[in-house]
């Protein structure tokens, strides 16, 4: 349930409404907008069903939310959430681009990648220090040594760091070096990890699971937000279908669906979404045209030598060309169709 307060509701009205909800054994989540204040009610369904709020002073109406996810829903918050990562904004009409190699291999490789993506206009340096791989014999990452290299290269190029976390016990370690925790597709429903990330004070990039529905994906985000961390960025990275030509099937329609169902920002990963570098730029343009708030793209200075995902990595010159294209496209979309 959400409680919509009247425009003329006083602070005392809001306080009393929250107090009644909590006295009923339920939790509240307050969202104050420019024009309306909403109180989200979370807890036992039977208690919510017996909660009567409409006759209270300052309450305009109550609305039942049918979806299991509440706090991330558009019903709960009409305005787009903007996640601020140390001054770099994701969502609300801001174009955020995360780029870099799939895996951290060496400082030389990472710095070369960081310099080229920064020059092209990226905001974040991406790179995996912990790599969950399908085969146990594939390169698993450099762990903390890789994190140190990421932070060093990012500082030298004035970029923010986004890197994957696979174990909740690594939160403190990775949080020392990273600006954004990335939850990969394989961990989208690692609920203990999501709960733990709900308690941290850093943004989380939540990738869609390999075969997850949009509803399952948003419920995964709800775990994080319900824990107290409202800084969640969604990432569409392709889902598994019967198609074998591409690594995954990139679901561009998910961008539009998320914009309708949720207030959270959403970016797109055309690298994992296709698995083919030749398709990355067209799918990136399609994502921006659909209304995505940004991209996460794999870029490697020498993809033929990459230890991971070289086939889907752009060379620096191709990434620079893509950045020019999406900047123009994003400006055109915002001008002619308005912000999401």
């Amino acid at each position: 349930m959400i409680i919509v307060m009247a425009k003329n509701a006083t602070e005392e009205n809001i306080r009393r409404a929250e107090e009644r909800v909590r006295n009923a054994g339920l939790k509240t989540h307050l969202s104050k907008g420019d024009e309306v204040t909403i109180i989200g009610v979370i807890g036992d369904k039977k208690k919510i069903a017996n909660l009567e709020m409409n006759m209270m002073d300052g309450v305009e109406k109550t609305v039942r939310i049918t979806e299991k996810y509440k706090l991330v829903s558009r019903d709960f918050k009409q305005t787009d959430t903007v996640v601020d990562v140390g001054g770099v904004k994701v969502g609300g009409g801001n174009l955020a681009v995360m780029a870099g190699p799939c895996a951290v291999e060496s400082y030389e490789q990472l710095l070369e990648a960081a310099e080229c993506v920064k020059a092209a206009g990226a905001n974040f340096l991406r790179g995996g220090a912990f790599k969950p791989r399908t085969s146990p014999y594939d390169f698993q990452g450099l762990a903390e040594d890789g994190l140190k290299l990421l932070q060093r290269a990012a500082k030298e190029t004035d970029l923010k760091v986004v890197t994957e976390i696979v174990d909740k016990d690594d939160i403190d370690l990775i949080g020392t070096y990273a600006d954004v925790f990335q939850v990969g597709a394989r961990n989208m429903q690692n609920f203990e990890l999501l709960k733990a990330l709900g308690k941290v004070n850093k943004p989380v990039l939540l990738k869609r699971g390999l075969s997850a529905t949009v509803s399952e994906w948003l419920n995964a985000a709800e775990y994080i937000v319900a824990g107290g961390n409202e800084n969640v960025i969604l990432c569409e990275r392709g889902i598994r279908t019967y198609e074998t030509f591409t690594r995954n099937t990139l679901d561009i329609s998910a961008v539009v669906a998320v914009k309708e169902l949720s207030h959270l920002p959403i970016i797109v990963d055309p690298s994992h979404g296709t698995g083919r570098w030749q398709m990355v730029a067209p799918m990136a343009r399609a994502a921006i045209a659909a209304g995505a708030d940004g991209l996460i793209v794999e870029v490697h200075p020498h993809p033929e030598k990459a230890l991971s995902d070289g086939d889907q990595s752009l060379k620096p010159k191709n990434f620079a060309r893509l950045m020019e294209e999406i900047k123009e496209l994003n400006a055109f979309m915002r001008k002619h169709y308005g912000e999401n």
Side-chain angles (χ1 to χ4, degrees):
M1 173 195 285
I2 60 173
I3 302 166
V4 182
M5 302 301 293
K7 289 184 179 181
N8 62 350
T10 65
E11 290 296 324
E12 180 64 15
N13 293 151
I14 296 170
R15 187 191 67 78
R16 288 181 178 276
E18 287 189 291
E19 186 177 47
R20 174 173 288 190
V21 172
R22 288 193 288 266
N23 287 341
L26 299 164
K27 295 181 180 179
T28 64
H29 192 287
L30 187 66
S31 175
K32 286 190 175 183
D34 293 334
E35 297 184 0
V36 66
T37 295
I38 292 175
I39 302 172
V41 181
I42 310 163
D44 185 88
K45 292 181 180 179
K46 291 182 179 179
K47 291 181 179 179
I48 292 176
N50 293 325
L51 186 65
E52 178 53 57
M53 301 294 299
N54 287 310
M55 299 304 294
M56 289 196 71
D57 291 341
V59 173
E60 180 178 310
K61 62 181 178 179
T62 58
V63 179
R64 305 284 173 175
I65 301 178
T66 57
E67 290 287 353
K68 290 184 178 180
Y69 54 86
K70 314 294 183 184
L71 302 179
V72 306
S73 73
R74 182 68 75 176
D75 288 332
F76 177 70
K77 183 181 177 185
Q78 293 295 312
T79 57
D80 290 343
T81 287
V82 178
V83 177
D84 191 321
V85 187
V88 178
K89 296 181 179 180
V90 185
N94 303 284
L95 178 64
V97 178
M98 307 171 182
C102 175
V104 178
E105 300 165 10
S106 69
Y107 180 66
E108 293 73 24
Q109 165 246 17
L110 197 59
L111 182 61
E112 188 175 354
E115 288 175 339
C116 81
V117 301
K118 174 66 175 182
N123 317 100
F124 297 82
L125 176 63
R126 60 141 298 151
F130 294 88
K131 298 298 299 177
R133 306 298 298 280
T134 301
S135 169
Y137 307 113
D138 289 338
F139 178 61
Q140 303 290 313
L142 298 179
E144 186 172 6
D145 288 341
L147 293 173
K148 291 177 180 178
L149 296 179
L150 264 174
Q151 187 184 63
R152 181 180 167 191
K155 283 185 176 179
E156 290 198 24
T157 51
D158 193 27
L159 291 167
K160 303 300 179 184
V161 171
V162 54
T163 193
E164 187 165 359
I165 181 168
V166 298
D167 191 321
K168 65 182 179 66
D169 292 336
D170 291 330
I171 287 178
D172 289 340
L173 171 65
I174 294 176
T176 302
Y177 301 98
D179 298 292
V180 178
F181 291 102
Q182 175 185 309
V183 177
R186 291 175 176 83
N187 278 299
M188 188 205 82
Q189 290 183 309
N190 181 342
F191 298 122
E192 293 307 311
L193 174 60
L194 301 182
K195 289 176 185 178
L197 289 172
K199 299 175 183 178
V200 304
N201 190 30
K202 278 194 175 180
V204 177
L205 175 66
L206 180 65
K207 286 196 166 188
R208 185 180 182 183
L210 299 172
S211 303
T213 64
V214 171
S215 179
E216 290 167 339
W217 185 19
L218 291 176
N219 272 293
E222 186 83 3
Y223 268 92
I224 302 171
V225 177
N229 186 354
E230 300 179 9
N231 295 305
V232 177
I233 305 164
L234 300 172
C235 179
E236 162 59 36
R237 47 80 67 203
I239 52 176
R240 179 167 293 176
T241 68
Y242 55 79
E243 183 54 67
T244 58
F245 182 75
T246 52
R247 178 174 180 175
N248 296 290
T249 297
L250 189 62
D251 185 8
I252 296 295
S253 67
V255 174
V256 183
V258 164
K259 289 291 183 181
E260 178 180 335
L261 296 171
S262 176
H263 54 83
L264 297 178
I266 175 172
I267 68 171
V268 170
D269 179 352
S271 301
H272 284 89
T274 64
R276 300 167 62 90
W277 72 265
Q278 301 93 331
M279 301 179 72
V280 169
M283 291 298 97
R285 295 192 296 266
I288 298 301
D293 297 297
L295 302 166
I296 181 167
V297 181
E298 291 193 353
V299 180
H300 196 294
H302 308 285
E304 69 280 358
K305 299 179 181 179
L307 297 181
S308 176
D309 289 349
D311 289 343
Q312 64 190 39
S313 299
L314 292 182
K315 292 182 177 180
K317 64 178 182 180
N318 292 331
F319 177 70
R321 184 181 304 118
L322 171 61
M323 286 296 293
E324 290 300 320
E325 294 170 348
I326 64 170
K327 286 176 185 176
E328 292 181 11
L329 180 58
N330 186 62
F332 175 83
M333 294 296 298
R334 302 300 174 189
K335 178 179 179 181
H336 292 279
Y337 297 101
E339 296 184 2
N340 294 317

